[in-house]
Amino acid sequence: MAARRARGQRAGLTRQAVLEAALRLVDREGMAALSMRRLGDELGVEAMTVYHHVPNKSALLDGMIEQVVAEAVPPEFGAATWREDLGAYAHALIAALGAHPNAVPLLLSRAAMTPRNLGTMEAVVGMLHEAGFRLPRTLDILYSLTSFVVGHAAAQAGDVDGAGSFASLDAEAYPLLVGAAREAGEDTADARFDFALDALLSGFEGELGDARASS
């Protein structure tokens, strides 16, 4: 642990460094371990020093969500087709959430309206609108996609594996569930994610076709 600094000394810290340290702490010990005092210990400073960079616990939590989402943002939306962009974003987001499973409940419990997150959402909406989606529908697409990805990540973080659970049921009582699960085999989470994502994207594509036909 770094030597503790004097109270109020900023020690060259930045908001980014504070958020990264908070995420490391949560990755290692879970959300219950997160406090300004523990975060100060992680950084080797007094807790009050942390408040120079995040004004309160709520701002800290929003910043942590921002950190996770930032790991999933591609260099540029609109560089490929809208479907490729959304697919790449979904895969990058599920990978980022998989790297920080203890932070997944944060994304389920709060909408982090930080400038950086809002900028990402603005870029997605702009890319979709440029592709031909009606402006209100772009928000529906963004909500549907992120809800699906975060929900899948929450199931994975909670070790909720429907197929695996079904495979252990009484085969006489539930022959179809058991048969389907056993035929699917193990390690089906990625395949289920890809299947559901493709279905979502195909549905969005159909919506785009309807919008173009009515214009």
Side-chain angles (χ1 to χ4, degrees):
M1 183 185 301
R4 184 177 293 278
R5 307 274 178 166
R7 181 178 295 275
Q9 187 176 346
R10 294 175 183 256
L13 286 180
T14 63
R15 176 177 179 272
Q16 180 71 20
V18 170
L19 298 180
E20 289 174 356
L23 200 53
R24 283 197 308 271
L25 178 59
V26 168
D27 285 344
R28 190 174 66 244
E29 301 183 34
M31 284 299 305
L34 183 64
S35 68
M36 291 304 201
R37 183 179 298 276
R38 285 297 309 278
L39 184 53
D41 290 340
E42 183 80 7
L43 291 162
V45 299
E46 294 287 349
M48 287 303 298
T49 303
V50 177
Y51 287 102
H52 288 295
H53 305 282
V54 285
N56 50 49
K57 183 74 171 289
S58 180
L60 175 64
L61 297 178
D62 285 349
M64 291 170 63
I65 295 174
E66 175 188 292
Q67 277 294 110
V68 175
V69 173
E71 293 183 14
V73 178
E76 181 183 1
F77 288 111
T81 67
W82 70 265
R83 182 164 180 152
E84 290 170 332
D85 278 345
L86 277 189
Y89 181 54
H91 278 104
L93 184 56
I94 196 66
L97 293 171
H100 306 288
N102 289 337
V104 171
L106 275 180
L107 280 86
L108 291 170
S109 64
R110 60 194 300 123
M113 297 296 196
T114 67
R116 191 174 185 181
N117 276 359
L118 291 172
T120 297
M121 290 186 278
E122 181 79 5
V124 175
V125 166
M127 177 269 293
L128 292 171
H129 190 47
E130 181 69 21
F133 288 96
R134 290 168 290 193
L135 194 56
R137 188 63 74 208
T138 63
L139 291 179
D140 296 334
I141 292 172
L142 181 60
Y143 174 82
S144 299
L145 185 78
T146 55
S147 296
F148 158 65
V149 175
V150 174
H152 182 85
Q156 293 303 107
D159 199 23
V160 178
D161 188 345
S165 300
F166 293 150
S168 62
L169 294 173
D170 183 346
E172 291 188 3
Y174 310 103
L176 297 179
L177 287 174
V178 173
R182 290 179 179 174
E183 187 173 335
E186 299 180 356
D187 301 324
T188 58
D190 289 345
R192 287 197 300 271
F193 179 82
D194 288 339
F195 171 79
L197 176 60
D198 187 66
L200 268 179
L201 295 176
S202 294
F204 299 156
E205 196 162 42
E207 168 68 21
L208 179 58
D210 291 344
R212 286 172 173 168
S214 63
S215 62

